[in-house]
Amino acid sequence: MGLLDRLDNPYEIDGFFLGTVEDLLNWGRSKSDWYLSFGLACCAIEFMAINASHFDLMRFGSIPRATPRQADFIIISGTVTLKMADRIKKLYEQMSEPKYVMSMGSCSNSGGPYWEHGYHVLKGVDRIIPVDVYVPGCPPRPEAFFEGMIKLQNLINNQAIFRKRSSMSAEELAQLEERNQKQKEYMERAAIEYENYQETLKTGGMQNPDYNGKYTINLPKIRMIDHE
Amino acid sequence: MGQRKTIEIDYGAVDTDRMRLNMGPQHPSTHGVLRLEVELEGEIVTEVVPHIGYLHRCFEKTCEFMTYPQVIPYVDRLDYISSMNNEWPFVMGVEKLLGIQIPEKIEYIRVILAELNRIANHQIAVATFGMDSGAFTPFLYLFRDREMILDLFEKCSGGRLLYNYFWVGGLQHDIPPTFKEDCLAIIKKVRETNAEVNNLLIKNKIFIERITNIGILPADVAINFGCSGPVLRGSGVPYDLRKDEPYSIYDRFDFNVIVGEGAMGTLGDCWDRNIVRVNEMEESCKIIEQAIAQMPDEAVDVRALVPKRVKTPKGEIYCKTENPKGELGFYIVSDGSTQPYRMRTRATSFINLSVLPEISKGYMISDLIMILGSIDIVLGEVDR
């Protein structure tokens, strides 16, 4: 399915190959997965070792990102407590599509050693966010993590980006229409909100409700002193 | 040349307001899921409130449902960077309750493994401290060497990070045949890399300028807050349980207690706490060398004294050891059954973290990251 398989194609002559745009895009996406640098518990220490010189995760094309906006996938590495679960859900929602989730270790897979008596431990992170790859272990060995990483790359490689309408069933077409309609409504609503925002800017900007007009803003007086 | 110009700013008419900023729980430099509520006056920190509990795993309550051998894996997961050291006080406490005298060779093996784990812990501490200040290269060097230690632990116990190796009355498995050679190879490598890291990071002028004279912790404040380990010794207090109350066989080794001297700035600053960790690696190497030389050669059945069913007599015991991060103690209350009636942990990181609001006031927000890194906390132990 992937681009590298196409290179074995009989049509390949001197660097030319016959393939689809979908293969090319998926090849690029799967080989440059950026992850959110985010650690929870014990597995995070093992994940640091995976990042460091001995195992070197960067050969998979993965670079740590400190903000969810730039990340392609998130690694849930450790015990998810109920207090942390809200934050993880928020982090996942802040990531831009397409996004993937890798659950690393027993704790985030199912609760791990805390499944029985941990009254405050979420029994599996898949109860709040969809998980694509589960890596077992407590903590997983780096080799096990790499197997999960290859599984994630294969998953991305086999994803469909373009599909012809003629090959869709009537039900799928209806779903597509519905999604397009929702998208259109959202865009119209966003345009109205943007116009409203522009108008408030003209009238002196939005008032911060925290201030309630309590403070007046005075700019500091700046004076340049020229010396001889 | 051009004229010299200065800018004069009159803040007289300006209303200034303090800002409250949340740092964490998802932040690359909080060493886990710690949330710091910081009050800022411009860039100056005026108040720090640590919020914990994002990794609370109810260790103490879980122990009440477990038999003593079942508790050991949970003890591993407290301070997950130095698991061997964690198992030791718990196992030693239960052995004291049972009245087991373990063979001498096993004591030596425990000392060697605990000191190796101390080196591994300090390597992570120095590496991440360097990374917080923007130095990435020493991180790669130190983690390369840490893999050697982890390989030896894996040969012994089968685990890379969490071992369950110290059992009540003995060990899980015998040591591998190449144990001594591996230890000596590790020590040689650790010393080589320490020399390299000293040149790259520790004696680097940029690094020294960055971390001296910030986060000053006076000795009296450190003692009042109950700090221990490198945080306390960095303030010049020579308190080390291995020297002061020698447990196991630590009275047989010749080593120094490293204290901060204020060599680059004020006594008790971030530099002092960091240099204590760096020099302690060398002291651990010395202990391991002596232990290997003294260790008896005859083979010992490491499971000979391991009881089939650990049933402690009625009573209570507090057992403490010198962990890489400080004094770790377990208070075990036994009601005569196979399960502890109550377990209480004196968590080192939790107590060391409590000093953070005290020592980070008045510094820049970027210094707060360095002060937090110099305390070297682990959230698994803070929240338990």
Side-chain angles (χ1 to χ4, degrees):
Chain A
M1 277 296 282
L3 179 72
L4 296 179
D5 297 339
R6 298 280 183 193
L7 290 178
D8 297 333
N9 201 294
Y11 296 107
E12 188 240 327
I13 319 151
D14 294 336
F16 284 90
F17 66 91
L18 197 61
T20 59
V21 181
E22 194 169 284
D23 284 341
L24 191 69
L25 286 175
N26 280 341
W27 172 74
R29 285 199 310 137
S30 69
K31 297 293 184 290
S32 62
D33 278 341
W34 292 359
Y35 62 90
L36 179 65
S37 110
F38 167 60
L40 276 171
C42 328
C43 290
I45 304 297
E46 198 67 349
F47 188 65
M48 273 161 75
I50 292 167
N51 263 306
S53 39
H54 199 78
F55 292 102
D56 192 14
L57 182 62
M58 281 193 196
R59 65 208 156 108
F60 285 85
S62 293
I63 310 173
R65 297 277 101 190
T67 160
R69 308 274 183 210
Q70 301 170 348
D72 293 321
F73 73 106
I74 179 170
I75 299 153
I76 312 294
S77 54
T79 317
V80 184
T81 55
L82 297 181
K83 193 174 181 181
M84 197 64 206
D86 292 351
R87 273 81 175 178
I88 286 176
K89 193 156 189 278
K90 196 170 275 181
L91 281 175
Y92 176 75
E93 281 164 358
Q94 283 174 345
M95 285 165 67
S96 53
E97 292 274 3
K99 55 191 170 185
Y100 306 91
V101 179
M102 208 160 161
S103 165
M104 182 186 182
S106 304
C107 286
S108 59
N109 288 349
S110 65
Y114 306 97
W115 72 273
E116 193 179 3
H117 300 296
Y119 56 89
H120 43 67
V121 175
L122 191 73
K123 310 297 186 306
V125 77
D126 48 6
R127 295 186 182 202
I128 48 167
I129 54 176
V131 177
D132 293 299
V133 181
Y134 296 90
V135 185
C138 188
R141 296 184 58 81
E143 292 87 346
F145 181 84
F146 288 146
E147 166 119 35
M149 194 71 208
I150 290 164
K151 283 226 156 54
L152 182 70
Q153 289 190 340
N154 286 341
L155 188 132
I156 297 172
N157 266 332
N158 294 333
Q159 267 190 339
I161 300 174
F162 311 110
R163 283 188 67 196
K164 290 197 176 99
R165 272 165 182 264
S166 58
S167 68
M168 283 184 184
S169 66
E171 200 175 312
E172 281 175 324
L173 270 173
Q175 279 178 1
L176 190 72
E177 283 301 322
E178 192 188 337
R179 208 176 64 201
N180 286 348
Q181 186 60 34
K182 273 184 185 169
Q183 192 103 20
K184 204 178 161 190
E185 283 169 12
Y186 176 79
M187 291 304 286
E188 281 167 3
R189 211 165 54 235
I192 294 167
E193 276 175 17
Y194 181 74
E195 273 175 22
N196 289 345
Y197 172 69
Q198 288 292 335
E199 278 187 16
T200 53
L201 280 184
K202 278 175 202 161
T203 58
M206 282 189 287
Q207 290 297 316
N208 189 340
D210 288 348
Y211 287 102
N212 286 332
K214 257 195 298 188
Y215 303 104
T216 50
I217 295 171
N218 301 314
L219 292 175
K221 296 190 182 84
I222 299 176
R223 194 157 59 89
M224 290 287 245
I225 305 167
D226 291 342
H227 299 274
E228 285 293 313
Chain B
M1 305 307 283
Q3 283 181 327
R4 194 164 65 90
K5 284 184 179 176
T6 50
I7 299 172
E8 200 182 76
I9 304 175
D10 178 19
Y11 286 102
V14 179
D15 281 335
T16 56
D17 201 5
R18 287 187 178 174
M19 180 169 68
R20 284 192 98 81
L21 188 76
N22 275 314
M23 205 174 104
Q26 186 260 326
H27 190 276
S29 291
T30 50
H31 296 241
V33 280
L34 174 70
R35 179 156 78 91
L36 294 175
E37 194 183 338
V38 189
E39 197 185 69
L40 295 169
E41 172 99 56
E43 256 190 291
I44 308 291
V45 175
T46 52
E47 196 188 347
V48 181
V49 185
H51 291 268
I52 59 171
Y54 292 94
L55 194 55
H56 173 58
R57 304 195 275 199
C58 81
F59 162 74
E60 288 173 8
K61 191 68 190 165
T62 310
C63 290
E64 293 169 17
F65 300 108
M66 301 284 162
T67 61
Y68 288 100
Q70 283 177 333
V71 170
I72 301 172
Y74 287 93
V75 175
D76 277 339
R77 283 157 182 78
L78 279 183
D79 177 0
Y80 35 76
I81 298 174
S82 46
S83 302
M84 291 277 187
N85 299 74
N86 284 356
E87 291 163 12
W88 207 359
F90 173 72
V91 168
M92 210 155 65
V94 179
E95 279 162 4
K96 274 183 186 167
L97 272 175
L98 287 169
I100 296 177
Q101 185 69 41
I102 62 164
E104 203 172 49
K105 187 170 180 184
I106 295 177
E107 291 278 17
Y108 277 107
I109 295 169
R110 286 185 179 179
V111 166
I112 292 169
L113 291 175
E115 292 303 322
L116 282 174
N117 212 335
R118 188 184 305 276
I119 295 173
N121 174 79
H122 287 344
Q123 279 172 338
I124 286 193
V126 175
T128 49
F129 188 54
M131 213 160 71
D132 288 347
S133 70
F136 189 70
T137 316
F139 172 82
L140 297 173
Y141 281 56
L142 290 163
F143 265 72
R144 181 194 62 194
D145 291 1
R146 183 173 166 269
E147 287 298 327
M148 284 181 81
I149 300 176
L150 294 193
D151 284 346
L152 177 61
F153 287 168
E154 200 183 331
K155 277 183 192 172
C156 292
S157 69
R160 269 174 55 86
L161 193 73
L162 309 168
Y163 312 108
N164 186 16
Y165 190 57
F166 292 11
W167 278 9
V168 177
L171 300 171
Q172 184 197 28
H173 291 294
D174 203 355
I175 49 170
T178 57
F179 185 73
K180 287 185 180 180
E181 293 79 33
D182 288 347
C183 286
L184 293 174
I186 288 168
I187 292 171
K188 191 164 168 259
K189 191 74 189 173
V190 166
R191 283 181 171 153
E192 275 173 23
T193 310
N194 268 4
E196 255 176 325
V197 171
N198 266 337
N199 287 334
L200 268 175
L201 179 74
I202 310 295
K203 291 175 183 165
N204 190 327
K205 192 169 186 300
I206 304 166
F207 187 64
I208 293 172
E209 294 280 321
R210 182 76 190 79
I211 62 170
T212 45
N213 291 326
I214 61 166
I216 296 160
L217 174 64
D220 56 335
V221 176
I223 292 168
N224 285 346
F225 273 81
C227 297
S228 54
V231 178
L232 179 65
R233 290 196 285 276
S235 302
V237 185
Y239 177 72
D240 192 327
L241 283 178
R242 293 174 294 170
K243 233 3 174 210
D244 295 336
E245 291 176 42
Y247 52 93
S248 185
I249 49 165
Y250 269 112
D251 47 353
R252 299 181 196 176
F253 306 119
D254 173 37
F255 65 99
N256 302 323
V257 176
I258 306 291
V259 290
E261 289 158 351
M264 295 292 165
T266 324
L267 180 66
D269 58 4
C270 287
W271 158 267
D272 276 349
R273 286 193 282 279
N274 190 48
I275 200 72
V276 165
R277 290 195 186 96
V278 174
N279 292 339
E280 260 182 23
M281 284 192 230
E282 172 59 27
E283 297 303 316
S284 291
C285 289
K286 269 160 62 178
I287 295 174
I288 295 165
E289 271 179 342
Q290 292 168 44
I292 285 172
Q294 294 174 18
M295 189 160 75
D297 277 330
E298 72 267 19
V300 176
D301 184 8
V302 291
R303 289 202 196 178
L305 289 172
V306 176
K308 285 241 158 48
R309 186 158 171 269
V310 181
K311 194 171 179 184
T312 53
K314 212 170 176 180
E316 50 192 51
I317 195 163
Y318 178 69
C319 201
K320 57 187 177 180
T321 57
E322 183 71 27
N323 231 32
K325 297 188 170 64
E327 180 190 326
L328 176 73
F330 289 107
Y331 184 72
I332 307 166
V333 180
S334 163
D335 59 348
S337 69
T338 54
Q339 296 166 332
Y341 177 73
R342 174 82 171 90
M343 275 273 287
R344 168 87 177 94
T345 318
R346 186 211 184 271
T348 321
S349 300
F350 175 70
I351 293 162
N352 285 352
L353 178 66
S354 67
V355 87
L356 178 76
E358 189 73 17
I359 62 173
S360 52
K361 273 173 202 159
Y363 298 104
M364 309 284 265
I365 189 165
S366 54
D367 294 339
L368 179 63
I369 305 284
M370 301 310 297
I371 296 167
L372 183 66
S374 76
I375 295 176
D376 184 23
I377 53 159
V378 155
L379 266 296
E381 204 182 11
V382 172
D383 294 339
R384 278 167 284 155

